[in-house]
């Protein structure tokens, strides 16, 4: 076996060939282990419900239909939970990225007043925090319980993301900023017209972090929105549905959307799980190009 190097092919040693084979096999197995649970959920949600209940769907779908997904429209409050989750994911992620970008940029400026103190004050919260009860009491005192902004405001400052952005910005040649300053650009113009465009990879990286965290968050909905069902997130609804799926099956069956076979608790759990997974799983492929570059450059000095 040979590989191409500088326009010519060089022969690989037996050790290299064995390493490549083992390396490929390990990654194929690892990829299969990661993907198969999602594939298993998917084929069980689109297969005949009676076969799913009998555990007869393993590798390939049988009796394909999409009635289970259509039946979700008969579930009360499901659509509202989708809107709450989507809005908090988009708004929370966008604001977090903007604040992390600006805070990261500020901490690179040596002229910033008490720069080291403020930077360390932010970083130390990565390692120490007050705990769940003080966190809840603080948000209760601020009026953020049973309040939509309880999802947004506590998640705006993320120390780890600020560290990544700061490290990435420090890798940008200082001469670019100096040239812009000499030409008369203000600090905000330098930030918006030079720093932000050049920081797309790291901003895309923390955007993925923020979107996944907001989408999958369950604890804040459980604790902060206990008296406001209209503010329950999709994950909160999933948790409720998983604990009351037998009652939900009755509601979805009586809605008339399922025509191929009656719903059962297993199908409902699988279907709702897929609905909560698919949207956020689609984010990563679009961000992958920036994600890999951002996480590497942002972490080198961090």
């Amino acid at each position: 076996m040979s590989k191409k190097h500088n326009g010519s092919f060089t022969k690989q040693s037996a050790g290299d060939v064995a390493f490549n084979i083992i390396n490929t096999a390990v990654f194929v197995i690892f990829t299969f282990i990661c993907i198969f649970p999602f594939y298993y959920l998917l084929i069980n949600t689109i297969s005949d419900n009676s076969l799913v209940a009998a555990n007869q769907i393993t590798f390939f779908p049988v009796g394909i239909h999409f009635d289970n997904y259509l039946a979700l429209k008969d579930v009360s409050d499901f659509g509202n939970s989708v809107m709450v989750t989507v809005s908090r994911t988009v708004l929370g992620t966008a604001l977090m990225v903007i604040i992390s970008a600006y805070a990261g940029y500020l901490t690179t400026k040596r002229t910033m007043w008490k720069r080291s103190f403020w930077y360390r004050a932010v970083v130390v919260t990565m390692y120490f925090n007050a705990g769940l009860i003080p966190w809840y009491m603080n948000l209760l005192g601020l009026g953020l319980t049973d309040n939509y902004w309880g999802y947004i405001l506590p998640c705006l400052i993320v120390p780890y993301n600020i560290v990544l952005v700061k490290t990435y910005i420090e890798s940008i040649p200082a001469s670019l900023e100096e040239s812009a300053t000499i030409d008369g650009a203000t600090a905000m113009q330098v930030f918006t017209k030079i720093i932000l465009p050049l920081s797309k990879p790291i901003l895309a990286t923390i955007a993925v972090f923020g979107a996944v965290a907001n989408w999958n968050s369950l604890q804040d909905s459980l604790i902060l929105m206990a008296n406001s069902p209209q503010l329950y997130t999709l994950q909160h609804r999933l948790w409720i549905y998983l604990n009351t799926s037998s009652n939900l099956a009755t509601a979805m069956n009586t809605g008339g959307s399922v025509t191929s076979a009656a719903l059962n608790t297993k199908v409902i759990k699988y279907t709702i799980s897929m609905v909560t997974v698919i949207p956020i799983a689609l984010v990563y492929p679009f961000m992958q190009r920036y994600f890999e570059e951002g996480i590497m450059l942002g972490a080198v000095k961090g």
Side-chain angles (χ1 to χ4, degrees), residues 77-105:
D77 298 325
F78 183 78
N80 185 65
S81 297
V82 172
M83 293 301 298
V84 170
T85 303
V86 170
S87 65
R88 72 164 289 181
T89 299
V90 173
L91 182 61
T93 301
L95 292 177
M96 181 275 294
V97 169
I98 293 172
I99 290 176
S100 296
Y102 196 67
Y105 175 63

Side-chain angles (χ1 to χ4, degrees), residues 9 90 129 239:
F9 288 89
V90 173
N129 60 69
W239 180 79

Side-chain angles (χ1 to χ4, degrees), residues 172-187:
I172 298 175
S175 57
L176 292 175
E177 186 174 349
E178 293 171 357
S179 299
T181 303
I182 292 173
D183 290 340
T186 63

Side-chain angles (χ1 to χ4, degrees), residues 24 33 45 76-77 105 167 172 176 206 217 238 255 265-266 290:
T24 303
I33 293 173
T45 59
S76 61
D77 298 325
Y105 175 63
T167 305
I172 298 175
L176 292 175
I206 65 173
S217 182
L238 173 63
T265 56
K266 180 181 291 185
Y290 296 111

